[in-house]
Amino acid sequence: MTKAYRWQVTAVVAIGLFMAILDNTIVSVTLPQMQKAFHTDFESITWVATAYFLAQAAVIPIVGYLSDRVGSKLVFLIALALFTIGSTLCALAPTKEALIAFRVFQGIGGGALLPMAFAIIFRIFPPTERAAATAVLGIPIMMAPAFGPTIGGFLSTNFNWNAIFTVNIPIGVVALVLAILVLPGRKAESEQQAGPTGPIGRKRFDIAGLMLSMVGFTALVYGITQAGSKGWGDATVLTFIIGGAAVLVAFVVVELRVSDPVIDMRLFTNYTFTIANIVMWVVAAVLFGSVFLLPLFFENIQGASALTAGELLISQGLAMGVGMALSGTLYNRVGPRILTTIGLVLVVVGTFSLTQLNVNTTGQSLQIWLILRGLGLGFSNPPLQTLAMSAVSNRAMAKASSLVSVTRIVASAIGVAGLTTYLTQQAAAHGLAIGKAIQAGLATHQFSGVAATCVKLAGPTLNQAAVQACVMRQASAQGLDDTFWVVLICCAASIVLALILGRDPAIRAYQEAKARGEEVTPERVPVMSE
């Protein structure tokens, strides 16, 4: 395969991947509009977002396994077709029940695109070019969540709620045609998968692993996502989390006993693969948690519109793109350890300013810090993805990609739910403290700090509604400060893990050969599953 052809393949899969991930967050700002259109309550309409997320969690674990049997190109084409058809059905949905059902259909296609994209790219690129390819694919993964609210706000404001689905149709059709023409076929893929003993053989179908993975991951992710709104002690939340975890334990036992597992859990016995994934989980939790927290600050505390909030976050998204481009270029020279460490340091520095938020903080004053966070996230993610997959053979690439993708989804769900719960608790605690300070001040006629600010805003008549609104805004800002401290501490702890990351064996061999003056491109270094 020529270098030009490999980059054509990368561009095609990146288009499909961007749409699939964008639909995770683009819906969030249009939910109120959907609620009015279907005359329903907000809790019911949130299933439009939840259904898509759960469908992804169900399908991601199994697509790598299926692609090994029928071919990555066929699975990618089917997934892209399902996503495009699902988008069309969503745009035409007559009822909320139909919309939710069509979102499941769309989510199955969108979820399958993520692991397939990485499996295809890592199989066709030699080790020395994988970091750059990962950086290109990382753009939709990292930037789509940041741009989702902005794009969704623009489309819903200027058109209607169904515009967020209609826009996928022409892009999906073009991507589908290009994928048919460009992606390597089954024969080329079989040659790439062939190990030292020849092509991969046909083994017994792991139906037990297939069912257990779908049920376990879906139940676990649902329980975690509901914990953010219902609390971790809620009976439904505990039932799904404990039930999902129990099913996944059974799944692991089954997978360790079969010769051709749906997901190869033995990959975690490799030090490099495991440490790289742990750091990736933290980055995923931080990214998706922040995607929720920052718009909350701009919209609920400062009263900005969803579109304005999205515009204020564009700088972070663009900085991510720059960071990923730089990390892809520097990977072969400095290695994943230095790049990831620098990235996490930048995230910590940028996050510190978010621990100092107050009701008077402006979006403009945060831009430099958001840019630093974006650069840091962009610097850290592609090297981690490349390093994790460097420990995997071409034969195991699809399953490894599914494993990385589904665990990242679980980490994202935990990050959002955990940070949301902590924010709610801290905001309530601060609100109670401010309320007590105001009550104490009424007795002494002396107020200080936040209590004095709220009393002053309430006027001489001490308007109760004004006091309550002020207390809520102040308490929410203080709760956000506490929550971003948790984010900062987690990122700082991850720096320690980044410093003990393993080395990419292929890049190390390339550097040693270059130091000897040899002009060589190293072959794939078989590390695992061969």
Side-chain angles (χ1 to χ4, degrees), residues 33 37 85 97 163 269 273 277 302 312 314-315 317 341 396 426 479 492:
Q33 201 175 79
I85 295 170
E97 291 81 9
T269 61
F273 183 85
N277 271 282
Q302 294 194 328
L312 290 170
I314 285 178
S315 60
T341 302
Q426 291 303 106

Side-chain angles (χ1 to χ4, degrees), residues 354-408:
L354 302 180
T355 65
Q356 312 299 311
L357 298 174
N358 59 65
V359 295
N360 297 316
T361 303
T362 64
Q364 288 72 26
S365 67
L366 294 175
Q367 291 305 301
I368 183 64
W369 307 109
L370 292 177
I371 290 172
L372 286 177
R373 290 184 87 245
L375 283 171
L377 290 167
F379 258 98
S380 56
N381 196 65
L384 290 168
Q385 179 88 31
T386 305
L387 178 62
M389 301 302 280
S390 73
V392 181
S393 67
N394 275 0
R395 178 179 295 178
M397 199 66 71
K399 292 180 183 177
S401 185
S402 285
L403 180 57
V404 171
S405 299
V406 75
T407 53
R408 183 188 286 146

Side-chain angles (χ1 to χ4, degrees), residues 77-166:
L77 290 174
I78 292 173
L80 192 55
L82 287 175
F83 179 83
T84 305
I85 295 170
S87 298
T88 305
L89 293 173
C90 287
L92 301 173
T95 65
K96 72 176 187 296
E97 291 81 9
L99 178 58
I100 293 169
F102 296 150
R103 280 286 281 175
V104 172
F105 192 75
Q106 186 193 33
I108 291 172
L113 289 172
L114 180 59
M116 280 299 90
F118 277 103
I120 291 169
I121 293 308
F122 272 85
R123 278 175 173 162
I124 66 172
F125 275 91
T128 52
E129 297 178 20
R130 284 179 178 162
T134 302
V136 172
L137 281 191
I139 291 175
I141 292 178
M142 302 290 279
M143 294 180 67
F147 281 93
T150 306
I151 297 173
F154 173 80
L155 291 174
S156 60
T157 300
N158 292 279
F159 301 98
N160 202 348
W161 64 265
N162 52 14
I164 65 172
F165 301 116
T166 306

Side-chain angles (χ1 to χ4, degrees), residues 56 64-65 125 194 291 327 344 401 432 448-449 463 490 495 498:
Q56 287 185 313
Y65 180 73
F125 275 91
V291 164
S327 67
L344 290 172
S401 185
L432 185 61
S448 61
N463 184 285
C490 290
I495 293 175

Side-chain angles (χ1 to χ4, degrees), residues 29 146 149-150 289-317 350 353-354 357-371 373 423 473 476-477 480-481 484:
V29 296
T150 306
S290 300
V291 164
F292 167 79
L293 295 176
L294 288 171
L296 183 68
F297 172 74
F298 293 129
E299 294 177 39
N300 291 13
I301 296 177
Q302 294 194 328
S305 66
L307 182 58
T308 300
E311 290 171 346
L312 290 170
L313 295 173
I314 285 178
S315 60
Q316 180 174 268
S353 67
L354 302 180
L357 298 174
N358 59 65
V359 295
N360 297 316
T361 303
T362 64
Q364 288 72 26
S365 67
L366 294 175
Q367 291 305 301
I368 183 64
W369 307 109
L370 292 177
I371 290 172
R373 290 184 87 245
L423 170 61
R473 291 176 66 223
S476 296
L480 279 169
D481 289 344
F484 276 114

